[in-house]
Amino acid sequence: IAVTLYDALNQTYQNNIQLNAERENLKASEEDINISKSDYMPSLTLSGSKSIEDTNKLTNQTGGDATISDVDPFTTSIKVEQTLLDFGRGLELKKSITGLNLAKAKLTKKEQDILHSAIDAYSNLILAREKQNINRKNLNLLRRQVENDKIRRDRGQITNTDLAQSESSLAGAQAQFTQAKSDLLIAKLTYENIIGKIADPNQLKKNSKSIVNIPNSLNEAINLSKQNNPDIKIAKFDLAQSEKDVAISESDFKPSATLSLERSYSDDLSSTIDEREKDILKATVSWPFYSGGKKRSKINKQSNLTTRKRLLLDDAVRTNETNVASAWSSLDSSKGFLNSVKVQVRAAKIANEGIAAEYERGSRTTLDVIQSNSLLLSAQLSQVNSERNYLMAQYNLLKAVGL
């Protein structure tokens, strides 16, 4: 069964450990909003106590024994408290909402990074597979050539030197094939680490173009990146959170007010009181004026951090434009290079077929054939490398744009 890039990306999206970890971070940010909302709700407290008294000695002022009247008081209470005025809680809620947006942006960035790594692993495994196939064909070709050259040597058509050249080329091809098999194994392990298990690399279906449309121009790519690039979004939300921190620090100088109602019941309260039920309605207003400069320094600190985040946002925007322009340039150059390599491969094939025919007629030497095979092998390897580079250049641009 063929495995498409869609299949691999879907498998990565569902099962990648790093993505699942980032999703848990998003859930934690959602709980931060619930925590902030709870500051608007009243609190309810139940409490109770039971003590046992055992007086060992009790004397009066004259030194004589006094009457001991031990009690075992039991007290219960229920208290409802509501915050009426708190300038910081609204800011905390807004900060939590911004934090949720920040977590979403970080999840988007992580998704793009992981999926880009999956595409890289997918295309690299296909590249390793094709390199192994090319080297295998070259190895089989040189084996046949060595056998033919042995026959030609025995007939006196070529010398031992010619045969040695063929055998040397065969040894080099065997080393290259061994290296290609090792590269394929490493590429398969990398694929399975990022995406998941793959039984046979031959199942992977090769793509020559990205599965998402590429922007038509550099200006379009830059404009799209300003809207979609997760690094810019993260920098913006970081700045927004920092601005909220400044406002929260300033709210520490503002008043707060609470209202509470407490009902309590006491039994065996003292030697003269048996039971007592009491209701307490209490309003509290507080307004801090001085804390040794701590709160003012906290405001200054948050202001400095906000300035830092604003500078980082400016840097993210500039870096993004540079990255998009660089990715666009790489895409353009990789496309041109691929077209040139395709022409090179076609020419190398024609030349190789002609030299092989001329060699059979005796008008070409063994060295000519070896050089021709080497040029063709180099061109074919260059083509599969260029095809992958062109594909990854497309996805590098899409990643820079934020699509």
Side-chain angles (χ1 to χ4, degrees):
I1 301 175
V3 178
T4 66
L5 182 57
Y6 276 112
D7 297 331
L9 292 180
N10 182 61
Q11 186 179 2
T12 304
Y13 188 81
Q14 297 294 332
N15 302 322
N16 187 269
I17 295 176
Q18 294 185 45
L19 282 182
N20 290 332
E22 199 65 35
R23 292 184 183 112
E24 293 301 319
N25 184 56
L26 179 62
K27 294 178 182 178
S29 296
E30 291 173 346
E31 292 303 323
D32 284 337
I33 293 181
N34 294 331
I35 293 171
S36 298
K37 287 181 177 179
S38 68
D39 291 336
Y40 286 90
M41 305 299 291
S43 64
L44 179 65
T45 304
L46 298 175
S47 63
S49 65
K50 172 68 176 178
S51 60
I52 299 175
E53 297 180 2
D54 185 12
T55 303
N56 296 320
K57 183 178 181 182
L58 184 67
T59 60
N60 54 29
Q61 293 291 336
T62 61
D65 292 333
T67 302
I68 297 176
S69 300
D70 287 333
V71 294
D72 299 331
F74 172 70
T75 302
T76 60
S77 67
I78 180 171
K79 181 179 180 180
V80 179
E81 186 173 17
Q82 174 68 59
T83 300
L84 302 178
L85 181 65
D86 185 347
F87 290 92
R89 61 181 176 177
L91 295 169
E92 287 286 357
L93 178 57
K94 291 180 180 178
K95 179 184 175 182
S96 296
I97 293 174
T98 303
L100 177 60
N101 292 329
L102 176 60
K104 289 179 180 178
K106 288 183 176 180
L107 176 59
T108 299
K109 177 176 173 56
K110 179 61 70 174
E111 287 173 346
Q112 290 186 358
D113 289 343
I114 295 299
L115 293 180
H116 184 272
S117 298
I119 294 170
D120 183 70
Y122 182 95
S123 61
N124 192 54
L125 182 53
I126 292 176
L127 173 64
R129 179 190 71 191
E130 292 184 327
K131 282 186 173 181
Q132 185 190 55
N133 291 338
I134 292 172
N135 279 286
R136 180 187 290 110
K137 290 178 182 178
N138 182 60
L139 179 61
N140 292 335
L141 175 65
L142 289 174
R143 282 173 176 166
R144 290 193 299 269
Q145 181 175 335
V146 168
E147 293 300 323
N148 291 335
D149 284 352
K150 286 180 179 179
I151 296 173
R152 292 169 65 88
R153 189 272 315 270
D154 293 340
R155 293 175 179 175
Q157 294 175 336
I158 61 173
T159 65
N160 285 331
T161 301
D162 293 324
L163 177 59
Q165 289 176 332
S166 295
E167 291 174 337
S168 175
S169 296
L170 176 59
Q174 288 173 332
Q176 287 180 309
F177 181 66
T178 301
Q179 181 63 48
K181 288 196 296 183
S182 175
D183 292 342
L184 179 63
L185 176 60
I186 294 172
K188 183 174 181 289
L189 293 174
T190 302
Y191 178 99
E192 293 180 340
N193 180 55
I194 298 175
I195 299 174
K197 291 293 183 181
I198 179 74
D200 183 6
N202 291 316
Q203 291 178 288
L204 300 186
K205 185 177 180 181
K206 185 175 181 179
N207 296 84
S208 59
K209 291 185 178 181
S210 64
I211 57 179
V212 180
N213 292 331
I214 299 293
N216 296 319
S217 66
L218 176 57
N219 287 334
E220 181 184 352
I222 292 176
N223 291 332
L224 285 172
S225 69
K226 291 178 179 179
Q227 302 171 13
N228 300 311
N229 187 277
D231 289 325
I232 295 179
K233 288 184 177 181
I234 290 172
K236 286 181 178 178
F237 289 130
D238 267 336
L239 175 59
Q241 270 201 326
S242 188
E243 290 172 343
K244 296 293 187 300
D245 285 333
V246 173
I248 291 171
S249 298
E250 292 174 344
S251 72
D252 291 341
F253 285 100
K254 297 178 180 180
S256 63
T258 61
L259 181 66
S260 66
L261 175 62
E262 181 179 10
R263 167 165 288 190
S264 62
Y265 169 78
S266 300
D267 180 46
D268 198 13
L269 186 63
S270 67
S271 60
T272 57
I273 300 175
D274 184 25
E275 294 183 359
R276 183 181 71 183
E277 290 186 6
K278 181 171 63 174
D279 291 333
I280 301 176
L281 180 64
K282 181 179 180 182
T284 304
V285 178
S286 62
W287 196 334
F289 282 96
Y290 181 70
S291 59
K294 177 181 178 180
K295 294 181 179 179
R296 176 56 59 185
S297 296
K298 186 178 178 182
I299 294 175
N300 293 337
K301 174 185 175 181
Q302 295 299 338
S303 297
N304 292 335
L305 291 175
T306 300
T307 302
R308 175 179 177 271
K309 295 294 178 62
R310 188 172 290 109
L311 293 172
L312 290 176
L313 173 58
D314 293 340
D315 179 69
V317 173
R318 294 180 182 180
T319 302
N320 171 70
E321 292 183 2
T322 301
N323 290 341
V324 172
S326 176
W328 182 269
S329 177
S330 296
L331 174 61
D332 190 54
S333 62
S334 63
K335 183 178 181 180
F337 188 81
L338 175 59
N339 291 333
S340 298
V341 170
K342 287 181 178 179
V343 174
Q344 181 186 8
V345 170
R346 286 195 296 268
K349 284 183 177 179
I350 295 172
N352 182 258
E353 291 172 358
I355 291 174
E358 293 171 0
Y359 175 74
E360 292 297 329
R361 294 194 298 267
S363 59
R364 288 283 187 172
T365 66
T366 301
L367 182 59
D368 292 332
V369 176
I370 292 173
Q371 289 176 338
S372 177
N373 288 338
S374 178
L375 289 173
L376 178 58
L377 174 64
S378 177
Q380 289 173 331
L381 293 175
S382 181
Q383 179 175 346
V384 294
N385 273 311
S386 299
E387 288 172 345
R388 178 183 181 273
N389 291 340
Y390 176 57
L391 180 65
M392 289 309 302
Q394 297 175 61
Y395 285 110
N396 290 339
L397 175 61
L398 291 171
K399 181 183 179 184
V401 171
L403 297 177

